[in-house]
Amino acid sequence: MPRPTPTPIFHITAIDNLQLIAKSGLLSKNQVVARGVNFANIAFQSVQGHRSVKNVPIAPGGNLHDYVPFHFAPRSPMLMTINAGNVEGCDYRQDDIVHLKTTVEAVGAASLPFVFTNYHAVKAFAEFFSDPKDLDKIDWELFFEFPRLGGYCKYWNSAHSNARYALRMETRQAEFLVHDSVPLAVLGQIAVRTENMAERVRGVLANTAWSPEITVIPGWYY
């Protein structure tokens, strides 16, 4: 199955972070630290430790914390983990989390340096690419099989009893990584689960220079 074009990419963050993003753009972990920005954390610290030492073997190099991570589908396993209350120190649930959506093409048009992987970037077998033609090396069929929710396959889990799905989760967590930061002009859409969430987002952004499209898409949530 060919990839969709334009190719959507997604980043999740807490609603509480939106005002800071409106001031500084969407920053990599290392940029957050360097600038002293007090972002609300929604990530596993153990996974963040792995990301901090995982080198990117192609230009512009560095490690994964030098990049803003996006995925190629919404409704990620991480969102489920947050909603289940399994992230230590994180009291947010899915109704506190938004999807920031843009496209590979929008990132390219803005001349932002990027790389991407065909599997979860921390995996030793993940390959790194920088030519958009290599996006076709991702197994897109796993993203769009039936049954679908919100346009994407309902299932993320790997099934080791079936070779076709043995690496489904790792494939579905392939990453698109933008170096250092993503400006607001590239972040054109925020998706939420409910209209109440949409109202919260509108309130947070009311007095900022960021005016993305705010859409309610329940199928991108659990």
Side-chain angles (χ1 to χ4, degrees):
M1 179 175 180
R3 67 181 171 93
T5 52
T7 305
I9 51 176
F10 306 86
H11 177 94
I12 60 171
T13 193
I15 292 177
D16 286 348
N17 287 330
L18 292 179
Q19 197 164 54
L20 291 169
I21 293 170
K23 293 178 181 178
S24 58
L26 186 57
L27 303 176
S28 70
K29 178 73 171 179
N30 282 346
Q31 284 293 311
V32 166
V33 173
R35 300 188 193 189
V37 179
N38 188 27
F39 265 56
N41 178 63
I42 60 171
F44 276 129
Q45 291 309 301
S46 60
V47 174
Q48 293 304 300
H50 292 307
R51 296 184 73 86
S52 71
V53 297
K54 173 76 175 194
N55 290 327
V56 174
I58 61 176
N63 63 56
L64 292 180
H65 275 178
D66 290 312
Y67 296 80
V68 179
F70 290 82
H71 288 105
F72 293 101
R75 212 172 62 88
S76 66
M78 193 64 210
L79 181 62
M80 175 181 280
T81 300
I82 292 166
N83 196 50
N86 291 332
V87 179
E88 185 177 356
C90 176
D91 294 326
Y92 295 119
R93 298 298 180 264
Q94 67 176 352
D95 281 2
D96 303 304
I97 306 298
V98 300
H99 287 84
L100 307 183
K101 179 188 173 188
T102 184
T103 65
V104 168
E105 290 75 10
V107 171
S111 298
L112 303 176
F114 66 83
V115 300
F116 58 92
T117 64
N118 54 348
Y119 297 104
H120 193 305
V122 301
K123 297 297 181 181
F125 51 82
E127 297 177 277
F128 285 78
F129 308 94
S130 58
D131 187 336
K133 290 186 294 186
D134 288 321
L135 285 164
D136 293 334
K137 294 182 179 179
I138 295 172
D139 188 349
W140 291 103
E141 187 174 345
L142 290 178
F143 289 76
F144 296 103
E145 286 184 329
F146 291 99
R148 296 179 185 172
L149 275 177
Y152 291 82
C153 182
K154 176 180 179 179
Y155 300 119
W156 282 84
N157 59 299
S158 296
H160 298 290
S161 59
N162 184 333
R164 177 75 187 106
Y165 302 119
L167 292 174
R168 177 162 57 185
M169 179 175 286
E170 292 85 350
T171 301
R172 292 287 306 269
Q173 291 179 295
E175 299 185 41
F176 188 89
L177 301 156
V178 182
H179 194 252
D180 277 347
S181 64
V182 182
L184 297 181
V186 177
L187 300 170
Q189 182 181 2
I190 297 178
V192 297
R193 192 179 74 87
T194 67
E195 183 56 39
N196 284 342
M197 290 174 66
E199 284 300 314
R200 288 175 63 192
V201 172
R202 292 186 191 105
V204 168
L205 298 183
N207 296 313
T208 73
W210 188 17
S211 54
E213 177 187 6
I214 301 169
T215 54
V216 178
I217 309 178
W220 290 1
Y221 290 81
Y222 292 96

